[in-house]
Every structure is written in C-alpha cells, then in structure tokens.
Amino acid sequence: QVQLVESGGGLVQPGGSLRLSCAAPGSCFSIRAMGWYRQAPGKERELVAVIRWAGGNADYVDSVKGRYTISRDNAKNTVSLQMNSLKPEDTAVYYCNVQFLERSELWGQGTQVTVSS
C-alpha cells in the first residue's frame, strides 16, 4: 500500500505565500501524473494543478494561473505546489492525488490552507 504524506498547510495573510509538498515514499508502481485538488466549505472539489510525470507538462485552473507553480522530483516521487499572492478565496483543504500506470489512483489525507487577515 502506497502512503501519501502531505505537508505545508497553515494560516497566512492575503498576499502571502505557502508551499505544499506531497510524497509517495517507497512506491513500487509507476506514476503517470500527480496533482492537487482543493475543497472549500460549501463548494465542490476542484482540480487546482496537475503535472504529467514523464514529460512535466503542467495545467492549472484559471483562478490560480500566474500565482501557483507545480513541480515534481521524479527520482523522489514528490510533488510541490508553490502558492504566491494568496487570496481569501484560496482557503480550502488541499488534497494530493497520484495517478499510476498499474493501479488505481491514491489520495492524501488533506492539508488545511487558510488565508485571512
């Protein structure tokens, strides 16, 4: 069983920055892509950013383009999400997602990001 470890959430003022990280240590499966989803109270879960493992192609939801950057370390099976110029509407629980070639996807437990004055 692959264990996902998320870190980096917290409380930050508007305009501040946070960096989220996710790791799949000891994975014996090949990764197709990793990404971040978020869910705010009363709202549906949405895909924030995703990166393809082999080619490194990244996609972002329109609301975070120019502010968020997703990156990956193929050797360590880790993905990071650098979040800059944070807004109150970015407040949500952020979930790491891993898609594999050989098995079904896995999810992290979620990390809270709160943007408030």
Side-chain angles (χ1 to χ4, degrees), residues 37-52:
Y37 290 74
R38 69 184 180 186
Q39 186 168 21
K43 296 183 178 180
E44 297 182 356
R45 185 186 65 182
E46 67 173 348
L47 176 63
V48 178
V50 62
I51 187 166
R52 276 69 178 177

Side-chain angles (χ1 to χ4, degrees), residues 23-92:
S27 177
C28 60
F29 303 104
S30 299
I31 296 175
R32 176 181 180 270
M34 294 186 71
W36 291 92
Y37 290 74
R38 69 184 180 186
Q39 186 168 21
K43 296 183 178 180
E44 297 182 356
R45 185 186 65 182
E46 67 173 348
L47 176 63
V48 178
V50 62
I51 187 166
R52 276 69 178 177
W53 218 244
N57 307 90
D59 290 304
Y60 304 87
V61 67
D62 287 343
S63 60
V64 309
K65 288 181 178 178
R67 300 187 298 117
Y68 289 15
T69 302
I70 189 171
S71 60
R72 91 277 197 229
D73 187 330
N74 300 66
K76 297 181 178 180
N77 289 349
T78 59
V79 65
S80 297
L81 185 68
Q82 180 66 44
M83 305 183 294
N84 299 325
S85 302
L86 285 165
K87 306 174 180 179
E89 50 263 46
D90 294 318
T91 296

